[in-house]
Amino acid sequence: MIMWLYILIALSLTATLLLLLRWLFARLFEYRAELVTFLVIPPAFNDKALIANEALLSSLHSLGNNRIITERILGRKNRFCLEIVSTKDKGIRFYVSCLKHQEQSLRKLVEAHLPHAKVKRDTATLNDSSKVVLVKQSNHYAFPIKNITSLDDHDPLGYVTSAMANIADNEALRFQLVCTPVHLRSADKIREKILHNESFMPGDITAKK
């Protein structure tokens, strides 16, 4: 009995050590990772359907999930940085960043979904006097679910860029989203309810049955 207890303790310590090393390797990879930034200049007109924008985000999710077996074992994750930068002299600019080994894949992806946009390598750095404000959701990510079918009457991105437009000469404003693909059990539950035409409340999504 005592021998089995020693074996159990040894296995627990070994598993804890492996998880700690995995976490350390993942953090070291993020610290040393080289990022590539693209400046995306959208066309003056926008005749792309909303479903095309959704397809772009879905493709980014698939690209982020594309990891080799060693990256999965070591806990390495692909991240994308989507930014809107506003300055008085250059106006509103759109940036997208990725890891260097995904540079060509990301560029081809953006050019395929936005064929009339200009995509070029650029840099988007913060100055020493920058102030960072974190924004968090107060409710569940699936509440409320709003289906936007047209941008004529309701353009969420237009509200953001309008709010960022009026700034002083010595100011710069940046809206940044750091995205990484995840797989959530709560999202699977939402999908099942939608497929079965069931109604749900966000408070009930994560509730245990």
Side-chain angles (χ1 to χ4, degrees):
M1 184 67 181
I2 298 178
M3 181 179 297
W4 284 108
L5 180 60
Y6 286 154
I7 294 176
L8 181 60
I9 294 176
L11 291 176
S12 300
L13 292 176
T14 303
T16 303
L17 180 60
L18 290 176
L19 290 175
L20 179 60
L21 289 176
R22 185 175 184 265
W23 181 85
L24 290 175
F25 276 122
R27 300 292 82 79
L28 180 62
F29 172 76
E30 293 179 358
Y31 177 76
R32 300 179 60 181
E34 183 178 356
L35 294 179
V36 175
T37 301
F38 291 102
L39 171 63
V40 181
I41 304 176
F45 58 91
N46 183 17
D47 58 352
K48 300 287 288 185
L50 285 175
I51 191 172
N53 298 330
E54 295 177 1
L56 174 59
L57 295 178
S58 179
S59 299
L60 282 177
H61 187 277
S62 299
L63 180 61
N65 271 330
N66 185 17
R67 295 178 295 166
I68 60 179
I69 186 64
T70 54
E71 291 177 335
R72 296 179 183 272
I73 294 176
L74 295 177
R76 296 179 179 178
K77 296 181 179 180
N78 294 319
R79 285 182 170 84
F80 303 99
C81 183
L82 310 177
E83 298 180 76
I84 304 176
V85 180
S86 174
T87 56
K88 192 69 174 181
D89 55 339
K90 296 183 179 180
I92 302 292
R93 288 164 292 160
F94 300 91
Y95 292 93
V96 55
S97 303
C98 67
L99 297 175
K100 185 174 178 57
H101 72 275
Q102 294 182 318
E103 175 183 357
Q104 296 300 324
S105 298
L106 179 63
R107 182 164 192 160
K108 292 178 180 179
L109 192 64
V110 175
E111 291 176 343
H113 288 81
L114 302 173
H116 299 289
K118 296 181 180 179
V119 182
K120 62 180 182 178
R121 286 279 298 271
D122 205 328
T123 57
T125 57
L126 294 172
N127 54 47
D128 296 335
S129 60
S130 299
K131 180 180 178 181
V132 178
V133 178
L134 298 178
V135 180
K136 298 181 180 180
Q137 288 183 280
S138 57
N139 293 322
H140 193 275
Y141 67 88
F143 180 76
I145 293 179
K146 179 175 290 186
N147 185 20
I148 301 176
T149 58
S150 175
L151 295 178
D152 296 333
D153 300 326
H154 182 73
D155 185 3
L157 184 58
Y159 299 151
V160 175
T161 54
S162 297
M164 298 175 63
N166 300 321
I167 59 176
D169 295 338
N170 60 343
E171 290 181 335
L173 190 60
R174 172 173 305 191
F175 178 75
Q176 182 184 80
L177 295 175
V178 181
C179 309
T180 183
V182 296
H183 182 80
L184 301 176
R185 294 183 60 186
S186 57
D188 293 335
K189 293 181 179 180
I190 296 174
R191 187 181 299 108
E192 290 179 3
K193 289 180 178 292
I194 293 176
L195 291 176
H196 292 86
N197 197 24
E198 299 178 8
S199 61
F200 62 88
M201 292 298 292
D204 299 331
I205 295 173
T206 57
K208 295 182 179 180
K209 296 181 179 179

